[in-house]
């Protein structure tokens, strides 16, 4: 896994105007743009719980030339393999990388899923994980929990994986912007009246989303340290020794 990430500059850009696109999804896309290109060239990648069709977000793994296997519980997404992440139908050490994106909150035993991911990885292989934190309950088909950095450190170690990156993705203002977005999308979906209010909220949301990424950057002002206690979720890179 010697290649450096080739796209480190994915920005919100015009997506700031797209209210169907959350900041949480932006952080997930940006994380993958940064780390997936560093996989072994022509490597075999397991997209555990990933969608082969009806995929969300901007990032697509297809152009990178990896040998990708999508595994999902549901056949409606047309995965190459229908299966359970807690009992992977693969032998030991067959993948160069595993992606577990916005999945662990939907499984009853995430530690077991991580152990299975470690088992099917080759030595030196990497696992990329993203998972929400300050995020609405979303059954897909069920939603079990939200986890902290301490949880990931413990469970990665138990699975025999070395954590390389555990990053908070957005802080207080990013969470606030996504809460406002969810409220506005709900109003529109329900056909609630108040066109002027909807327009004002949309205008404020566009401005807030653009500023949130700036305001949530780490700063020297200790008065703002409370902002770090909030996050939209986590991005994690781990390695099998």
């Amino acid at each position: 896994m010697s290649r450096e990430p080739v796209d480190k500059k994915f920005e919100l850009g015009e997506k700031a105007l797209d209210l169907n696109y959350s900041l949480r999804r932006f952080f997930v896309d940006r994380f993958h743009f940064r780390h997936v290109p560093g996989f072994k060239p022509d490597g075999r990648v397991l997209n555990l719980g990933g969608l082969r069709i009806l995929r969300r977000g901007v990032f697509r793994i297809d152009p990178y030339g990896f040998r990708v296997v999508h595994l999902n519980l549901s056949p409606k997404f047309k995965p190459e393999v229908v299966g359970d992440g807690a009992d992977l139908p693969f032998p030991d050490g067959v993948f160069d990388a595993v992606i577990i994106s916005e999945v662990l909150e939907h499984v009853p035993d995430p530690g077991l899923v991580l152990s299975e991911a470690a088992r099917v990885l080759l030595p030196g292989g990497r696992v990329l994980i993203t998972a929400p934190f300050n995020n609405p309950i979303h059954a897909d088909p069920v939603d079990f929990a939200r986890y902290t950095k301490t949880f990931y450190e413990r469970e990665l170690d138990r699975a025999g994986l070395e954590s390389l990156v555990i990053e908070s993705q957005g802080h207080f203002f990013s969470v606030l912007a996504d809460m406002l977005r969810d409220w506005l999308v709900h109003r529109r979906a329900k056909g609630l009246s108040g066109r002027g209010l909807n327009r004002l909220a949309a205008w404020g949301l566009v401005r807030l989303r653009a500023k949130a990424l700036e305001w949530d950057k780490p700063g020297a002002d200790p008065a703002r340290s409370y902002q770090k206690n909030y996050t939209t979720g986590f991005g994690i890179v781990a390695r099998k020794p």
Side-chain angles (χ1 to χ4, degrees):
M1 304 210 175
S2 57
R3 287 191 296 170
E4 290 296 318
V6 298
D7 189 345
K8 298 181 180 179
K9 298 181 180 180
F10 178 67
E11 302 291 349
L12 186 59
E14 63 183 19
K15 280 294 185 179
L17 305 175
D18 182 359
L19 301 188
N20 293 314
Y21 187 76
S22 66
L23 281 185
R24 175 67 204 146
R25 181 54 55 180
F26 163 71
F27 289 122
V28 171
D29 280 336
R30 186 169 66 175
F31 179 82
H32 289 126
F33 274 118
R34 283 167 52 205
H35 293 288
V36 168
F39 290 169
K40 177 183 175 182
D42 195 36
R44 195 174 187 210
V45 178
L46 174 62
N47 190 4
L48 195 161
L51 306 182
R52 189 179 176 194
I53 63 171
L54 304 176
R55 290 175 291 184
R56 306 179 181 98
V58 173
F59 178 81
R60 297 290 183 269
I61 196 171
D62 311 51
Y64 294 97
F66 303 121
R67 293 170 289 161
V68 181
V69 176
H70 298 84
L71 178 139
N72 200 290
L73 278 172
S74 175
K76 74 177 182 179
F77 298 115
K78 301 188 184 301
E80 287 89 356
V81 178
V82 176
D84 188 344
D87 186 19
L88 293 175
F90 307 108
D92 296 354
V94 292
F95 290 100
D96 297 286
V98 177
I99 297 174
I100 311 175
S101 184
E102 308 296 271
V103 169
L104 290 182
E105 72 273 21
H106 298 297
V107 300
D109 190 343
L112 182 55
V113 173
L114 291 175
S115 293
E116 278 290 276
R119 179 182 66 79
V120 301
L121 272 176
L122 288 160
R126 295 197 180 190
V127 56
L128 300 188
I129 303 165
T130 66
F133 189 74
N134 288 109
N135 197 259
I137 296 171
H138 53 290
D140 192 21
V142 288
D143 191 348
F144 286 99
R146 302 291 182 269
Y147 302 106
T148 64
K149 179 179 180 181
T150 303
F151 171 86
Y152 292 116
E153 289 173 337
R154 184 190 70 180
E155 293 303 320
L156 290 170
D157 183 64
R158 286 179 172 179
L161 294 166
E162 176 190 1
S163 62
L164 303 178
V165 174
I166 303 179
E167 64 180 26
S168 297
Q169 298 175 313
H171 296 295
F172 178 85
F173 290 105
S174 297
V175 171
L176 183 63
D178 267 357
M179 290 176 65
L180 177 58
R181 186 201 77 95
D182 291 342
W183 174 78
L184 183 57
V185 168
H186 170 75
R187 284 183 59 85
R188 290 181 170 181
K190 296 297 183 182
L192 298 179
S193 60
R195 184 176 300 176
L197 176 60
N198 289 349
R199 287 180 176 176
L200 179 63
W203 176 84
L205 176 58
V206 168
R207 292 180 62 85
L208 176 59
R209 280 150 66 96
K211 284 291 187 181
L213 301 179
E214 174 186 343
W215 292 339
D216 279 345
K217 287 180 180 179
D221 185 356
R224 292 190 176 186
S225 61
Y226 76 94
Q227 292 175 210
K228 299 177 183 179
N229 295 325
Y230 298 83
T231 182
T232 73
F234 293 92
I236 299 152
V237 183
R239 176 182 174 274
K240 181 175 181 177

